[in-house]
């Protein structure tokens, strides 16, 4: 084959199982009708009529922006009022006593790109959980990093601190620093959230493995779903006040889910450190990467968040509107979980968020079998992901039984 690709780019492909499954589901909907097809694949909130949710207050503010706020460039770091709004939106009353710095990025994905690019060397290994969002791997491999995982759940079904500790020490034996990505609360794809105790244990372990100052950890907390996990899920953020000296925390913020502006591509990276100089460096190196990669971020999306956070009543209104989505998702997950228990279908401990996951030996086969029933779910390497964010409540009834049957086939 004639190829012009550089050696590191050769044979890469943007094939995406999730988008492909959604396309297949939409084709089936066109052929058989919406009520006959279960589209269990999207990563967006759909109401019970199958329409994508657009938080009404966000929509109103967005549509009423003046032309200049839509078409103008923004500064590289992001609209200043947006940066303040992001910080407020994320921390609420749980702001840690530490230095923080916020930089606008192209979605949470942009934050992940900058972190991997700027806090690991080419050839280094980046670590995350075995159950994880697929693009983590793509971001790492695109930047010529190795991608490693540890088993997320221990035999008791809780977070697997022991294997995280073993793996991180193993990696640090061969490199000076490691980027560790944890997606919590409301993890994609299982819906798990680390408990307060688990957070304490993770931070204590990171303190141990960086003691002596020769090794460093960049702890990336992917909070893409935090607004769907309840107010108490933010409590862990205060623990970042006591970060070990050689641990830099970076929160990957996204406007996609929390503010239903998925395609508008706005997010941010928030650095948290006990040292001002670390934040100064964070600001410099990451703004540089923004400039060199996408320049600046969608100004309209940034202005929309800034407008909301200028007015406490608007913040409350958006929170109230989103709460309806949260309740709907929770109702769907509740029905599925109860039915799963009734039919003896094992699933990972779902607490909140857009997805739940059924572990199984042959996910591709299970998903193919579900497709025969016009159910379109995403086959992960060790399980089946179901988007409770998107499946109409009427279609949730009976779904656990069908999944159980498909797994047994
Ligand atoms: N992290 C996780 C776990 C996600 O599922 C997503 C989106 O689906 C993101 C981050 C980032 O999304 P975006 O780049 O749209 O902000």
């Amino acid at each position: 084959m004639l190829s012009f690709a550089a050696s590191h780019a050769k044979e890469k492909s943007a094939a995406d199982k999730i988008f492909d499954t959604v396309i297949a589901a939409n084709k089936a909907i066109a052929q058989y009708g919406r009520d006959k097809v279960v589209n269990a694949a999207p990563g967006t909130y759909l109401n019970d009529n199958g329409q994508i949710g657009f938080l009404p207050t966000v929509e109103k503010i967005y549509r009423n922006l003046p032309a200049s706020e839509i078409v103008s460039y923004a500064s590289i770091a992001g609209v200043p009022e947006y940066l303040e709004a992001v910080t407020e939106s994320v921390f609420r009353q749980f702001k840690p006593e530490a230095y923080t710095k916020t930089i606008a990025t192209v979605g949470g994905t942009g934050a992940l790109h900058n972190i991997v690019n700027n806090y690991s060397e080419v050839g280094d290994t980046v670590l995350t959980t075995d159950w994880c969002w697929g693009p983590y791997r793509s971001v790492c491999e695109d930047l010529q990093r190795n991608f490693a995982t540890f088993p997320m759940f221990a035999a008791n079904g809780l977070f697997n601190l022991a294997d995280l500790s073993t793996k991180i020490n193993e990696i640090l034996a061969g490199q000076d620093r490691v980027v560790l990505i944890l997606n919590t609360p409301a993890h994609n794809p299982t819906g798990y959230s680390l408990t307060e105790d688990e957070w304490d244990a993770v931070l204590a372990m990171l303190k141990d493995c960086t003691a002596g100052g020769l090794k460093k950890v960049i702890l990336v907390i992917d909070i893409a779903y935090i607004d769907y996990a309840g107010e108490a899920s933010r409590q862990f953020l205060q623990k970042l006040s006591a970060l070990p000296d050689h641990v830099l925390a970076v929160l990957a913020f996204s406007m996609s889910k929390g503010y239903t502006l998925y395609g508008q591509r706005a997010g941010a990276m928030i650095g948290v450190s006990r040292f001002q100089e670390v934040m100064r460096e964070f600001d410099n190196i990451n703004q540089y990467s923004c400039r060199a990669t996408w320049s600046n971020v969608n100004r309209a999306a940034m202005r929309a968040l800034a407008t909301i956070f200028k007015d406490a009543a608007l913040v409350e209104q958006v929170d109230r509107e989103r709460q309806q989505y949260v309740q709907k998702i929770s109702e769907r997950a509740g029905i599925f979980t109860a039915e799963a228990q009734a039919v003896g279908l094992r699933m990972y401990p779902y607490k909140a968020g857009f997805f739940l996951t059924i572990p199984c030996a042959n996910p591709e086969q299970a998903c193919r079998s579900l497709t025969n029933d016009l159910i379109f779910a995403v086959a992960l390497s060790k399980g089946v992901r179901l988007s409770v964010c998107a499946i109409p409540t009427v279609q949730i009834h009976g779904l656990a039984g069908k999944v159980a049957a498909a797994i047994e086939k």
Side-chain angles (χ1 to χ4, degrees):
M1 190 196 96
L2 180 64
S3 165
F4 288 80
S7 57
H8 65 86
K10 260 194 197 348
E11 306 200 354
K12 283 178 185 164
S13 131
D16 184 305
K17 217 184 259 177
I18 298 172
F19 286 120
D20 289 349
T21 310
V22 172
I23 290 168
N26 285 333
K27 255 194 206 155
I29 288 172
Q31 191 175 350
Y32 301 103
R34 187 172 292 286
D35 57 330
K36 300 279 188 310
V37 176
V38 180
N39 184 359
T44 49
Y45 172 77
L46 305 186
N47 67 18
D48 277 346
N49 298 320
Q51 289 151 341
I52 193 162
F54 193 175
L55 291 164
T57 300
V58 178
E59 177 173 8
K60 194 164 151 205
I61 289 169
Y62 196 85
R63 289 189 189 277
N64 284 318
L65 288 174
S68 62
E69 289 295 343
I70 297 170
V71 300
S72 304
Y73 282 127
S75 48
I76 302 300
V79 170
E81 297 87 344
Y82 169 72
L83 303 177
E84 284 167 28
V86 168
T87 313
E88 227 184 293
S89 166
V90 170
F91 292 119
R92 303 287 173 119
Q93 71 269 40
F94 301 111
K95 189 161 190 305
E97 279 176 37
Y99 291 102
T100 66
K101 190 82 212 171
T102 304
I103 296 174
T105 57
V106 175
T109 309
L112 293 162
H113 169 275
N114 279 1
I115 295 161
V116 173
N117 191 44
N118 291 329
Y119 292 103
S120 65
E121 306 284 344
V122 170
D124 270 2
T125 297
V126 171
L127 180 63
T128 190
T129 47
D130 56 350
W131 294 101
C132 69
W133 188 48
Y136 291 163
R137 176 187 284 276
S138 319
V139 168
C140 292
E141 291 181 351
D142 197 38
L143 292 166
Q144 298 167 70
R145 271 60 169 181
N146 298 313
F147 180 75
T149 63
F150 65 96
M152 179 168 169
F153 296 107
N156 61 5
L158 299 177
F159 186 73
N160 190 351
L161 183 76
D163 279 2
L164 167 58
S165 171
T166 305
K167 194 77 193 178
I168 208 164
N169 281 301
E170 198 181 294
I171 294 170
L172 283 174
Q175 62 190 55
D176 291 342
R177 67 184 91 74
V178 64
V179 171
L180 165 68
I181 308 172
L182 296 179
N183 173 210
T184 183
H187 171 254
N188 174 6
T190 65
Y192 194 72
S193 303
L194 262 69
T195 63
E196 295 290 295
D197 287 349
E198 286 167 341
W199 263 118
D200 288 338
V202 167
L203 291 172
M205 185 275 293
L206 294 182
K207 188 171 183 179
D208 281 351
C209 70
T210 55
L214 292 176
K215 304 290 177 180
K216 297 192 182 79
V217 174
I218 298 85
L219 168 64
V220 183
I221 312 170
D222 180 350
I223 52 166
Y225 297 91
I226 196 166
D227 290 313
Y228 289 81
E231 206 49 26
S233 73
R234 293 177 203 275
Q235 266 170 20
F236 79 90
L237 292 165
Q238 258 175 346
K239 297 184 191 294
L240 303 180
S241 306
L243 272 181
D245 286 1
H246 295 93
V247 177
L248 162 65
V250 187
L251 305 170
F253 166 82
S254 168
M255 279 193 75
S256 296
K257 326 283 170 179
Y259 295 91
T260 60
L261 285 178
Y262 312 90
Q264 298 305 309
R265 313 307 305 132
M269 57 199 305
I270 307 172
V272 184
S273 165
R274 295 187 39 233
F275 302 101
Q276 199 168 16
E277 72 211 56
V278 174
M279 288 297 89
R280 223 174 281 131
E281 178 188 59
F282 177 90
D283 200 24
N284 288 334
I285 63 178
N286 291 304
Q287 280 204 51
Y288 186 93
S289 289
C290 295
R291 186 65 179 108
T293 315
W294 54 73
S295 182
N296 60 134
V297 168
N298 182 324
R299 185 184 181 98
M302 290 196 281
R303 183 55 69 196
L305 195 74
T307 306
I308 294 164
F309 275 84
K310 247 188 350 212
D311 182 343
L314 287 177
V315 175
E316 222 175 276
Q317 208 168 295
V318 172
D319 283 348
R320 223 177 310 119
E321 290 166 359
R322 191 191 303 106
Q323 197 49 33
Q324 290 180 13
Y325 297 0
V326 174
Q327 270 161 12
K328 179 50 76 184
I329 296 170
S330 160
E331 181 193 349
R332 294 168 180 169
I335 296 167
F336 187 91
T337 308
E339 291 190 0
Q341 261 167 10
V343 299
L345 178 68
R346 190 166 86 84
M347 53 183 275
Y348 278 117
Y350 174 92
K351 295 187 188 176
F354 277 28
F355 314 101
L356 49 80
T357 288
I358 317 299
C360 65
N362 194 342
E364 295 285 350
Q365 154 65 28
C367 285
R368 261 197 308 278
S369 169
L370 284 169
T371 308
N372 295 336
D373 275 339
L374 296 180
I375 297 166
F376 292 83
V378 176
L380 306 172
S381 60
K382 294 187 289 182
V384 174
R385 188 187 86 164
L386 297 170
S387 302
V388 276
C389 59
I391 307 169
T393 314
V394 285
Q395 293 186 330
I396 293 274
H397 293 283
L399 188 57
K402 288 178 184 160
V403 173
I407 285 174
E408 279 160 22
K409 270 185 194 162

